[in-house]
């Protein structure tokens, strides 16, 4: 069984880069049956009152088992099943977070367990942080790279903001549970990883032309994780033990690369800005949410197509204050080379299809008009990030 943390140590050593292991969870277990280790871990930590947080689906997948195991280990455990909103989605908004905070306070929990996919984790990381207790991560689907994140993207009155919170003290990724996750969630995890093609490009671009900070180690770790997923797209699409293990390892490694860098640059560029833009439009219109990674995958194909046009045709004449234009032109060969490392749009679509996800706007359920608007405006969702999309739109 591969060990993500050891592999990260090996990479840092090979690159002769310092490694801050304080960002690692104190316990990481990725294997079939890992869920059985949760209750003994909590008991050994000395925790007595456990708050298990899930939704109706993930209660079946993991919550019920965690509750039974905790009680059998002599722990006082209670489950909070987060209610869906009016559209039927469980979202990380003020109502969900308040529901969990009230339960943690009522039960005087020592520790929370997030049993679910990305949204449940974001709710728990913020509720645990606010109530001053740690939390344990039990992902039920390999759907996002944010399980270990210290930032909580949450919706407050319909606006998405990212607030400081905490990462999990331990992560138990049970491959048997992850393999049983719905196929669209597995494909979404693949889509979140595929987006690293354009996020890594934007990071290189921002570093060369916009003076953004850079970390060769975080970039290499993210690239390794991306390559592993692309080379195993078939196995991931087939939910094989090997494929799902490679995917969850990659998602964890990408998450840790962000923690090592301290910001989301390695894993989030213009493709994520498009995804956030679409998400906020859907919230405003009261529509059912789409999976984060499914949006990121399709957004990556749009950004790749746009960037390849720039790589071939050069910067539009309208770009540029002279100073900025000079910064870009003086690195043009490196920028062009970095664009050429992004696969073409059709290859990206083929990879998404192999992993079983929606590969076009139509399959995803995003209108062309919204996509076109996002390509002109989405850079505004992260005002402090220097991406090629921003330069194209703002000059
Ligand atoms: Zn993402």
């Amino acid at each position: 069984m591969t060990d993500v943390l050891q592999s990260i140590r090996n990479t840092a050593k090979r690159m002769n880069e310092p490694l801050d292991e304080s960002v690692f969870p104190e316990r990481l277990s990725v294997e079939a049956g890992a869920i059985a280790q949760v209750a003994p871990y909590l008991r050994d930590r000395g925790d007595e009152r456990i708050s298990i947080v899930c939704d109706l689906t993930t209660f079946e997948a993991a919550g019920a088992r965690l509750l039974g195991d905790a009680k059998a280990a002599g722990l006082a455990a209670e489950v909070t099943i987060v209610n869906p909103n009016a559209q039927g989605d469980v979202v990380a908004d003020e109502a969900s977070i308040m529901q969990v905070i009230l339960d943690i306070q009522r039960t005087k929990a020592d520790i929370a367990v997030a049993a679910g996919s990305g949204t449940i984790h974001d709710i728990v990381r913020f509720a645990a942080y606010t109530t001053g207790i740690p939390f344990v991560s039990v992902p039920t689907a390999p759907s996002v790279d944010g399980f270990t994140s210290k930032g909580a993207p949450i919706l407050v009155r319909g606006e998405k903001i990212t607030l400081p919170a905490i990462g999990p003290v331990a992560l138990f990724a049970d491959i048997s549970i992850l393999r049983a996750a719905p196929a669209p969630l597995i494909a979404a995890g693949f889509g979140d990883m595929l987006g690293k093609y354009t996020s890594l490009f934007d990071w290189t671009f921002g570093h060369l032309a916009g003076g953004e900070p850079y970390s060769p180690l975080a970039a290499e770790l993210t690239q390794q994780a991306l390559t592993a997923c692309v080379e195993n797209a078939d196995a991931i699409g087939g939910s094989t033990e090997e494929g799902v293990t490679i995917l969850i390892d990659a998602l964890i490694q990408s998450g840790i690369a962000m923690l090592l860098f301290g910001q989301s640059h390695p894993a989030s560029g213009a493709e994520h800005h498009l995804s956030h833009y679409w998400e906020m439009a859907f919230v405003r219109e009261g529509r059912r949410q789409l999976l984060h990674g499914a949006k990121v995958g399709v957004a990556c194909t749009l950004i790749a197509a746009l960037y390849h046009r720039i790589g071939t045709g050069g910067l539009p004449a309208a770009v540029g204050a002279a100073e900025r234009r000079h910064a870009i032109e003086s690195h043009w060969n490196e920028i062009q080379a970095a664009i050429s490392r992004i696969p073409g749009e059709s290859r990206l679509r083929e990879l998404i299809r192999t992993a079983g996800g929606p590969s076009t706007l139509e399959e995803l359920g995003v209108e062309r008009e919204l996509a076109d608007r996002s390509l002109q405006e989405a850079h505004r969702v992260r005002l402090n990030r220097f991406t090629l999309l921003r330069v194209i739109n703002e000059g």
Side-chain angles (χ1 to χ4, degrees), residues 2-12 14 23-25 28 30 144-148 171 193 196 217-229 245-261 266-267:
T2 42
D3 179 332
V4 181
L5 302 183
Q6 193 51 48
S7 146
I8 292 173
R9 286 188 193 103
N10 294 345
T11 300
R14 181 169 51 73
V23 307
F24 287 1
L28 173 65
V30 181
V144 289
D145 67 356
F147 296 118
T148 55
L171 191 156
M193 286 310 304
K196 307 323 176 206
L217 176 60
E220 170 63 17
L221 292 171
T222 308
Q223 180 65 54
Q224 280 175 1
L226 165 60
T227 304
C229 289
T245 304
I246 286 164
L247 177 58
I248 190 72
D249 278 347
L251 293 165
I252 293 169
Q253 181 156 316
S254 170
I256 290 180
M258 280 190 273
L259 292 177
L260 287 169
F261 182 60

Side-chain angles (χ1 to χ4, degrees), residues 294 297-299 301-302 345-346 348-354 356-364:
V298 172
T301 68
L302 302 182
E345 185 185 359
S346 57
L348 292 169
R349 290 195 202 288
E350 182 190 318
L351 283 165
I352 296 173
R353 277 195 299 273
T354 303
S359 68
T360 63
L361 284 169
E362 203 175 16
E363 286 168 17
L364 177 66

Side-chain angles (χ1 to χ4, degrees), residues 143-146 192-193 196 258 267-268 271-272 275-276 292-293 296:
S143 51
V144 289
D145 67 356
D192 204 15
M193 286 310 304
K196 307 323 176 206
M258 280 190 273
S268 166
E271 75 299 323
H272 270 72
S275 161
H276 296 322
H292 168 76
V296 168

Side-chain angles (χ1 to χ4, degrees), residues 21-330:
E21 293 199 17
S22 72
V23 307
F24 287 1
E26 67 177 32
R27 173 87 177 264
L28 173 65
S29 181
V30 181
E31 59 184 309
I35 196 170
Q37 300 160 16
V38 177
Y41 168 79
L42 296 171
R43 195 190 48 215
D44 291 349
R45 272 180 52 94
D47 295 315
E48 291 171 0
R49 291 175 301 277
I50 321 296
S51 170
I52 299 163
V53 183
C54 45
D55 59 34
L56 215 44
T57 313
T58 65
F59 177 75
E60 299 293 334
R65 167 76 192 267
L66 289 165
L67 180 66
D69 283 3
K71 287 189 168 163
L75 304 169
E78 287 206 35
V79 169
T80 300
I81 294 182
V82 179
N83 297 325
N85 67 8
Q87 284 76 40
D89 292 321
V90 171
V91 294
D93 64 1
E94 54 272 66
S96 302
I97 289 165
M98 222 28 220
Q99 188 192 348
V100 175
I101 287 176
L102 291 176
D103 272 3
I104 288 174
Q105 289 177 334
R106 181 179 51 76
T107 60
K108 298 187 172 57
D110 302 312
I111 192 164
V113 179
S117 60
T119 302
I120 289 289
H121 278 71
D122 290 331
I123 295 166
V124 173
R125 87 176 73 252
F126 190 72
Y129 167 74
T130 303
T131 51
I133 62 171
F135 86 97
V136 168
S137 160
V138 181
T140 54
S143 51
V144 289
D145 67 356
F147 296 118
T148 55
S149 172
K150 286 184 161 59
I154 61 178
L155 285 165
V156 179
R157 296 200 183 275
E159 281 294 316
K160 185 155 182 169
I161 51 173
T162 299
L163 296 174
I166 49 170
V169 285
L171 191 156
F172 298 88
D174 189 322
I175 298 298
S176 305
I177 293 173
L178 299 178
R179 284 187 68 189
L185 285 170
I186 297 175
F190 182 84
D192 204 15
M193 286 310 304
L194 201 68
K196 307 323 176 206
Y197 274 123
T198 44
S199 66
L200 284 170
F201 166 78
D202 265 331
W203 193 19
T204 300
F205 174 77
H207 174 57
L208 290 172
E212 294 265 6
Y214 193 76
S215 155
L217 176 60
E220 170 63 17
L221 292 171
T222 308
Q223 180 65 54
Q224 280 175 1
L226 165 60
T227 304
C229 289
V230 168
E231 286 175 353
N232 293 278
D234 263 321
I236 292 168
S239 305
T240 69
E241 170 143 7
E242 193 194 2
V244 167
T245 304
I246 286 164
L247 177 58
I248 190 72
D249 278 347
L251 293 165
I252 293 169
Q253 181 156 316
S254 170
I256 290 180
M258 280 190 273
L259 292 177
L260 287 169
F261 182 60
Q263 298 183 69
S264 64
H265 294 63
S268 166
E271 75 299 323
H272 270 72
H273 303 163
L274 254 58
S275 161
H276 296 322
Y277 189 97
W278 301 346
E279 180 178 344
M280 290 199 302
F282 273 48
V283 169
R284 275 196 306 277
E285 294 160 16
R287 295 164 71 178
R288 297 271 331 234
Q289 280 303 329
L290 304 171
L291 294 168
H292 168 76
K295 283 179 288 198
V296 168
V298 172
C300 177
T301 68
L302 302 182
I303 294 294
L306 174 65
Y307 285 8
H308 276 292
R309 282 201 294 279
I310 302 289
T312 315
L315 276 183
V319 168
E323 207 177 308
R324 176 167 291 177
R325 203 165 177 105
H326 177 73
I328 296 171
E329 280 168 355
S330 65

